[in-house]
Amino acid sequence: METKELLKKVRQIEIKTRGLSRNIFAGQYHSAFKGRGMAFSEVREYQYGDDVRDIDWNVTARHNKPYIKVFEEERELTVMLLVDVSASRDFGAVGEMKKSVMTEVAATLAFSAIQNNDKIGVIFFSDKIEKFIPPKKGKKHILYIIRELIDFHPESTGTNLSLVLEYMTNAIKKRCTAFLISDFIALGNYKNALSIANRKHDLVGIQIYDKRETELPNVGLVKMYDAENGSEDWVDSSSKKVRDAYIRWWNERQNVMLDYMRKSRVDLASIATDEDYVKALIGLFKRRS
């Protein structure tokens, strides 16, 4: 992308997403994520009504009476965006391109983090770690992230969700809030990596998908191209059997993803490219508040 065109696009996204984070998400982001970042402060004697899950059993055993851990809200969080840059994001038949929606969602979350005095970092991934931007604060840092979201060119076309989750778990030592932004079309068992990442960090899944991906239209003989592995196949979409098989394929993938998220206790927002992502993010924030 030409520099002038890129800067214009960066400015457009900055104006839109900064306004959203300031006018719509102010306060909701804080209540949804700030309360999850708690630091140990001290212990005190148990009082009626305290949560028994906060009991410090070592201190209780030493004093022969119950003591609980007291926590205080951490003043700043580290927020990580794990952004899928595989070839399947370059698709858009209904509404915006998946890549465009991913960029706006990521930018909105980044501005929300900065306005709450949090650090923001990014990991771009395909079936390899494409780029790691360490967490920092400041508008200059945000604009750099937006430029990369718009104009990043990955080396690989595939997807490996386990790889990015394991990388983030190892690379970010302090507990952070992480948003895994992907279409989640990739095959592979990433449940274990998802569970481990969410135990160490506060992980949230954001699925961006195109409704045309959920079913095969009846348009006769069509050539299907897999952008991630480069394979091509002719498919007879006029066959109801073929169309039904495609729907089953999509539903099976969705059900596997939802099962992984549920068992790993990871919150998820699914956003279609022709839907209002603002409404979906607000719904996600409210569920967590």
Side-chain angles (χ1 to χ4, degrees):
M1 189 180 290
E2 294 287 336
T3 302
K4 187 175 180 180
E5 183 186 353
L6 175 59
L7 291 175
K8 182 180 178 182
K9 184 69 173 174
V10 169
R11 182 61 177 157
Q12 288 172 342
I13 291 180
E14 178 199 358
I15 291 169
K16 180 176 180 179
T17 58
R18 184 171 61 179
L20 287 172
S21 60
R22 179 184 297 154
N23 301 324
I24 298 176
F25 298 130
Q28 291 193 341
Y29 167 91
H30 182 94
S31 61
F33 299 105
K34 278 289 189 179
R36 307 296 177 102
M38 305 299 286
F40 173 71
S41 176
E42 60 182 352
V43 295
R44 63 165 170 78
E45 282 192 46
Y46 177 86
Q47 298 173 1
Y48 179 76
D50 286 336
D51 192 333
V52 295
R53 292 173 296 184
D54 291 334
I55 291 177
D56 187 319
W57 294 106
N58 290 329
V59 177
T60 296
R62 286 201 303 270
H63 292 274
N64 290 318
K65 54 184 175 182
Y67 278 77
I68 68 160
K69 297 175 183 177
V70 178
F71 297 87
E72 63 180 15
E73 186 175 281
E74 291 186 287
R75 286 178 174 80
E76 77 174 30
L77 292 176
T78 295
V79 176
M80 291 300 303
L81 303 177
L82 281 50
V83 182
D84 184 349
V85 292
S86 63
S88 63
R89 71 181 178 146
D90 294 319
F91 179 79
V94 181
E96 297 283 339
M97 294 277 287
K98 284 193 284 186
K99 176 183 175 180
S100 298
V101 179
M102 286 180 177
T103 295
E104 290 196 17
V105 168
T108 301
L109 292 169
F111 274 115
S112 296
I114 289 293
Q115 286 179 12
N116 279 273
N117 201 37
D118 297 333
K119 295 178 182 177
I120 182 80
V122 183
I123 303 172
F124 293 105
F125 72 96
S126 55
D127 55 6
K128 60 184 283 186
I129 302 303
E130 296 278 354
K131 185 166 189 173
F132 173 54
I133 301 176
K136 288 183 183 178
K137 296 182 182 181
K139 182 180 176 182
K140 185 178 179 181
H141 182 62
I142 287 282
L143 295 180
Y144 169 58
I145 287 173
I146 294 175
R147 283 199 305 272
E148 290 296 294
L149 286 165
I150 294 170
D151 203 38
F152 184 78
H153 300 285
E155 294 180 1
S156 189
T157 58
T159 312
N160 189 327
L161 292 167
S162 290
L163 178 70
V164 69
L165 290 166
E166 290 165 2
Y167 181 87
M168 191 266 297
T169 300
N170 294 325
I172 308 300
K173 302 303 180 185
K174 184 182 176 183
R175 181 175 173 82
C176 76
T177 295
F179 294 92
L180 178 57
I181 306 173
S182 174
D183 55 16
F184 291 95
I185 287 178
L187 292 169
N189 188 337
Y190 52 91
K191 183 176 70 172
N192 190 49
L194 198 69
S195 296
I196 293 170
N198 196 43
R199 281 200 294 270
K200 181 175 180 181
H201 303 290
D202 182 13
L203 185 63
V204 180
I206 297 181
Q207 181 190 33
I208 309 297
Y209 71 98
D210 191 297
K211 287 179 179 174
R212 184 58 60 83
E213 295 172 315
T214 68
E215 61 182 4
L216 191 63
N218 184 354
V219 290
L221 195 63
V222 292
K223 183 183 283 189
M224 303 287 284
Y225 173 68
D226 189 320
E228 296 205 3
N229 63 30
S231 65
E232 292 182 345
D233 288 296
W234 285 98
V235 174
D236 183 9
S237 66
S238 64
S239 166
K240 186 175 185 303
K241 185 177 179 180
V242 170
R243 295 197 305 273
D244 289 346
Y246 183 91
I247 291 172
R248 285 197 302 273
W249 168 84
W250 171 264
N251 288 336
E252 284 170 7
R253 289 197 173 201
Q254 280 293 102
N255 289 336
V256 167
M257 179 199 66
L258 292 172
D259 183 61
Y260 286 176
M261 294 290 174
R262 184 174 62 253
K263 289 180 177 176
S264 303
R265 298 183 178 180
V266 173
D267 291 324
L268 174 72
S270 288
I271 306 169
T273 53
D274 64 334
E275 291 178 346
D276 182 3
Y277 66 81
V278 172
K279 187 181 294 185
L281 290 179
I282 288 175
L284 172 68
F285 292 174
K286 285 183 176 178
R287 289 201 307 273
R288 293 173 56 92
S289 297

